[in-house]
Amino acid sequence: MRITVIGCGYLGAVHAACMAKLGHQVVGIDVDHRKISALSEAKAPFFEPGLESLLREVQETGRLTFTTDMSAAAGNEVHFICVGTPQKKGENGADLSYVDASVEELLPYLSPGDFVVGKSTVPVGTAERLSNAVQAQEPAAHLVWNPEFLREGHAVADTLQPDRFVYGVSDGSEEHPAVAALDEVYAIPLSTGTPRLVTDHPTAELVKTAANSFLATKISFINAMAELCEAAGADVTRLADAIGMDDRIGRKFLNAGIGFGGGCLPKDIRAFMARAGELGADQALTFLREVDAINMRRRSRVVELARELCGGTLLGQRITVLGAAFKPESDDVRDSPALSIAAQLQLQGAVVTVTDPKALENAAKRFPELHYEGDVDAAISGSDALLLLTEWREYVELDPLTLIGSVGTARVLDGRNVLDAAKWRSAGWAYRGMGRP
Ligand code: UGA
């Protein structure tokens, strides 16, 4: 099929490459010239495992091109909207200006029988509004909501083999022409048994925000248990293992630590609360305020623990922060708990060095006042305390026996509960975890 992908960020760049991999003829469109020229040379403008080799592979077939010119959408049958919906400045709601602008610019190029397919995460009600705009311009075109569930760090695999597809169509019926069109777009993953659900517009929009809210709630639940475990002298990692064995609960997303961050979960739960308020259903989501509060408390808790670990004061303590990205296998530092903790430690008088295998460039743009060191050995040398805040494999595999010779004082705070506490203690380290004795 002939496909347009509007927005070439984390979602769109991966989506465009994957659609070409599935055999379609794809053009990726973005207003950012630098992004487009990088992508045109098969360079990913951000770190995502497997993306660059996929870009090279599909560009060699001639099936994928990039441009800043919206008229390249003319003549295509399916137009995906993949632009960002960040949190509005000073408000909880989502900023829809990029979604609105991209649909507005696309309208003149629509032809009868075209499909505009929304993938961005939007407040419920957006699809209906955009659908009216599409039909006012081209009555024989259709708008579908087809939310995306990919995780950064696993984006290529999540796009090529997702858990499920959700198609939100105006009448919610299997007979809607968009269902057959999307079935053709996703023919390969559907042929391997990927389930797909057809819903109406509002249900499809809500599926995405409900899924992210559930994930955020699961993480804050286990972090609340971590607070209790600390008070009671229990171990939250063993608690999570034990409750996770009940398959109604499941062990995934039950890792207590410094909490969630990134460009999705934090802003999505806030936008969801804001939208519920507009719909007069705010009571239904007041629990998400608590989910957010528990999550933000984790960041202050780490600072307190670091102070305790350093003997009661952070003043002048040389602290090495291992990890700046909001999670491993990503260079994304949007709302990264690791960076926010590093900044708080520095404000309280610690001498902080931050290291990360991929995210230092982005981190330095957000927090230029912090000190960064790309070489992990140099970052650790002479340190008074190590704080593991993003669980990159190279940090999880650090050898406590080797390291002890290069630090000033052997103290480690495991913000993700991923280190073997017994091994670090027996090597002579003062070890603290999150919600562990
Ligand atoms: C999240 C969802 O998982 C995706 O399904 C969704 O498509 C995406 O948002 C989106 O809306 O676009 P992502 O932001 O890439 O994906 O990251 P997650 O893997 O969900 O992790 C979010 C945060 O939770 C990270 O900071 C991670 O460190 C933290 N986390 C995760 C925990 O603290 N504990 C856990 O057990 C799991």
Side-chain angles (χ1 to χ4, degrees):
M1 293 185 97
R2 294 179 60 88
I3 288 178
T4 314
V5 175
I6 302 171
C8 295
Y10 283 98
L11 167 58
V14 174
H15 195 68
C18 289
M19 291 305 102
K21 171 80 180 168
L22 295 182
H24 305 296
Q25 186 68 40
V26 184
V27 58
I29 304 179
D30 199 292
V31 292
D32 183 337
H33 287 268
R34 277 191 317 171
K35 225 179 248 173
I36 290 303
S37 58
L39 285 164
S40 302
E41 290 166 27
K43 291 200 180 81
F46 49 84
F47 174 71
E48 180 61 44
L51 178 58
E52 284 202 341
S53 56
L54 180 62
L55 282 168
R56 270 195 304 276
E57 179 193 327
V58 290
Q59 275 175 355
E60 274 166 21
T61 65
R63 288 199 301 268
L64 178 62
T65 54
F66 291 97
T67 177
T68 54
D69 182 1
M70 188 62 89
S71 70
N76 288 349
E77 309 153 78
V78 177
H79 313 275
F80 284 102
I81 307 294
C82 295
V83 294
T85 53
Q87 188 171 339
K88 275 188 202 155
K89 291 212 168 29
E91 282 178 56
N92 271 346
D95 176 355
L96 293 178
S97 56
Y98 304 109
V99 171
D100 290 345
S102 50
V103 172
E104 182 77 14
E105 279 177 48
L106 173 67
L107 288 180
Y109 303 105
L110 291 181
S111 309
D114 277 10
F115 300 95
V116 180
V117 186
K119 293 202 81 70
S120 310
T121 302
V122 292
V124 59
T126 306
E128 197 185 331
R129 182 169 62 76
L130 296 176
S131 177
N132 292 339
V134 165
Q135 301 237 300
Q137 170 80 24
E138 176 46 76
H142 304 275
L143 182 123
V144 196
W145 217 261
N146 172 221
E148 178 57 54
F149 305 102
L150 67 81
R151 298 158 298 165
E152 286 180 25
H154 305 268
V156 172
D158 284 355
T159 306
L160 291 172
Q161 296 111 28
D163 294 335
R164 74 293 206 191
F165 291 106
V166 175
Y167 306 168
V169 295
S170 54
D171 60 3
S173 94
E174 286 273 342
E175 282 69 47
H176 193 284
V179 173
L182 282 183
D183 278 355
E184 199 176 333
V185 170
Y186 298 129
I188 294 177
L190 286 171
S191 72
T192 60
T194 308
R196 70 127 163 85
L197 285 91
V198 177
T199 71
D200 51 29
H201 281 152
T203 306
E205 292 167 304
L206 281 173
V207 166
K208 175 59 191 273
T209 26
N212 275 3
S213 299
F214 190 86
L215 294 172
T217 304
K218 207 170 173 190
I219 299 169
S220 277
F221 173 82
I222 201 65
N223 279 328
M225 294 304 111
E227 290 183 13
L228 255 120
C229 285
E230 271 167 32
D235 185 339
V236 74
T237 60
R238 301 302 286 157
L239 178 125
D241 291 343
I243 64 171
M245 281 171 190
D246 181 331
D247 64 12
R248 291 169 305 173
I249 296 173
R251 181 63 178 82
K252 288 182 187 163
F253 268 66
L254 275 187
N255 296 321
I258 64 174
F260 58 82
C264 302
L265 301 193
K267 65 113 175 141
D268 286 353
I269 60 171
R270 292 172 194 154
F272 201 16
M273 284 185 272
R275 185 64 185 135
E278 288 167 6
L279 293 169
D282 44 342
Q283 263 195 329
L285 297 188
T286 46
F287 75 96
L288 286 179
R289 208 177 311 157
E290 203 51 47
V291 166
D292 205 355
I294 294 167
N295 191 51
M296 297 316 282
R297 268 206 308 273
R298 300 312 286 164
R299 302 182 183 189
S300 355
R301 181 67 188 137
V302 181
V303 177
E304 266 171 54
L305 281 176
R307 193 192 328 277
E308 278 173 29
L309 191 64
C310 291
T313 177
L314 289 166
L315 271 182
Q317 294 288 322
R318 283 162 302 173
I319 292 187
T320 305
V321 168
L322 300 170
F326 84 105
K327 69 177 200 180
E329 300 301 326
S330 170
D331 64 355
D332 194 347
V333 298
R334 286 177 293 171
D335 206 351
S336 163
L339 270 187
S340 122
I341 291 162
Q344 284 184 50
L345 290 166
Q346 174 152 301
L347 275 178
Q348 299 197 22
V351 181
V352 180
T353 298
V354 181
T355 189
D356 189 286
K358 298 285 177 198
L360 290 190
E361 210 182 305
N362 288 340
K365 281 185 215 147
R366 292 245 162 174
F367 288 94
E369 67 277 23
L370 288 169
H371 173 63
Y372 300 99
E373 171 56 64
D375 179 64
V376 64
D377 294 325
I380 286 172
S381 169
S383 174
D384 293 314
L386 303 185
L387 266 57
L388 193 162
L389 301 187
T390 311
E391 67 278 35
W392 286 95
R393 186 203 280 258
E394 51 251 73
Y395 302 152
V396 179
E397 289 174 352
L398 284 171
D399 177 19
L401 272 176
T402 323
L403 278 192
I404 202 158
S406 61
V407 293
T409 318
R411 302 169 177 140
V412 63
L413 201 167
D414 181 3
R416 298 289 189 169
N417 289 338
V418 285
L419 300 176
D420 180 342
K423 188 170 152 197
W424 282 72
R425 286 190 177 123
S426 68
W429 290 74
Y431 169 95
R432 283 300 300 261
M434 306 285 298
R436 309 179 78 178

